[in-house]
Amino acid sequence: SHRTKSMAEQCEVSSDAYCKILCHASRYPSAAVNGILLGRQKDNTTSRVVVFDALPLFHMHQMLAPMLEAAMMLVEEYCTQHKLVVVGYYSGNERYDDNEVSSVSARIADRIQGFFPRACLLQLVNQRLGSAASAKSLVPAVVLYTSVQGRWMVKDGLEVQGLAEGSTQQDFAEKLKLDLHMELNDFDNFLEQPTLKWLEQSL
């Protein structure tokens, strides 16, 4: 039967972006974390959304609108300079057993969807973070949500590059071993210490 397709049919996440999300959550295991998903303009012309990078936002100031406004201004400037586009949002909740999309996350994702209709929301499953560095972990530690008639719903079609081969898990394991997750800065860190690299960081 023919059915109308929702906007984001698939979401493909680069190994780097995925590892950054997990490193952000690993650096602040008892805090709620969130960030912005970036894609290259040329990759995002079809219904498939390609996430090229992740920009960690907060582990403290989730609820403060002025902080978000300041961060988004810098992100937009950065995107213009590098021919990137904001394609979505990621979040991880404070409570270990809470894997629901919070009202704050839904609001920020709604805002992104306002200018990128196929926006994706990646929600961290806290229970999967502990084993995400194991080659046996073939299920992503994040779940894909897309907006269906104004509500964020779980969606199939998430693909993390290198996960099936085990190279992404190995990469994440290596970063943890070298404590590189402790060097990943989010916007909160940048506000405390403006000399820190925030927008352009590779781990």
Side-chain angles (χ1 to χ4, degrees):
S1 67
H2 181 76
R3 61 186 183 85
T4 53
K5 294 188 170 189
S6 67
M7 292 310 273
E9 278 303 299
Q10 275 179 311
C11 178
E12 187 182 327
V13 181
S14 75
S15 179
D16 282 354
Y18 181 70
C19 284
K20 266 194 192 175
I21 295 169
L22 300 192
C23 282
H24 193 200
S26 301
R27 180 170 182 178
Y28 300 106
S30 56
V33 295
N34 65 7
I36 296 292
L37 303 174
L38 298 181
R40 291 193 183 95
Q41 284 171 2
K42 65 177 174 58
D43 294 340
N44 282 288
T45 51
T46 63
S47 63
R48 178 193 189 83
V49 173
V50 183
V51 178
F52 157 73
D53 197 7
L55 281 182
L57 281 182
F58 303 117
H59 65 275
M60 297 189 301
H61 293 118
Q62 237 76 340
M63 308 294 282
L64 298 178
M67 300 296 187
L68 180 65
E69 293 306 321
M72 288 307 281
M73 274 174 63
L74 292 174
V75 170
E76 280 162 29
E77 213 173 286
Y78 176 74
C79 284
T80 305
Q81 285 168 1
H82 295 84
K83 292 191 168 53
L84 298 171
V85 60
V86 174
V87 296
Y89 176 80
Y90 74 83
S91 77
N93 297 330
E94 191 172 349
R95 281 203 354 257
Y96 182 72
D97 58 352
D98 178 11
N99 301 314
E100 296 297 311
V101 171
S102 70
S103 56
V104 175
S105 293
R107 264 207 316 276
I108 298 174
D110 282 343
R111 175 181 168 168
I112 291 168
Q113 203 209 7
F115 54 82
F116 187 77
R118 292 171 287 121
C120 293
L121 193 161
L122 298 180
Q123 180 65 39
L124 188 74
V125 180
N126 293 322
Q127 295 87 337
R128 293 182 195 165
L129 187 61
S131 61
S134 156
K136 294 189 182 77
S137 286
L138 299 178
V139 178
V142 291
V143 171
L144 171 65
Y145 284 74
T146 59
S147 182
V148 180
Q149 292 166 341
R151 290 184 58 213
W152 290 92
M153 315 282 278
V154 176
K155 176 91 173 72
D156 287 335
L158 175 65
E159 186 193 324
V160 177
Q161 292 170 3
L163 206 65
E165 299 79 22
S167 57
T168 295
Q169 298 89 318
Q170 200 177 343
D171 197 20
F172 178 52
E174 196 69 16
K175 291 182 195 322
L176 291 181
K177 203 168 85 182
L178 297 171
D179 268 345
L180 294 179
H181 61 297
M182 300 308 288
E183 293 173 23
L184 181 70
N185 302 314
D186 59 17
F187 188 64
D188 278 329
N189 303 129
F190 174 73
L191 287 173
E192 285 174 1
Q193 201 179 328
T195 52
L196 290 174
K197 273 198 157 180
W198 166 56
L199 289 164
E200 298 194 55
Q201 330 176 57
S202 54
L203 284 180

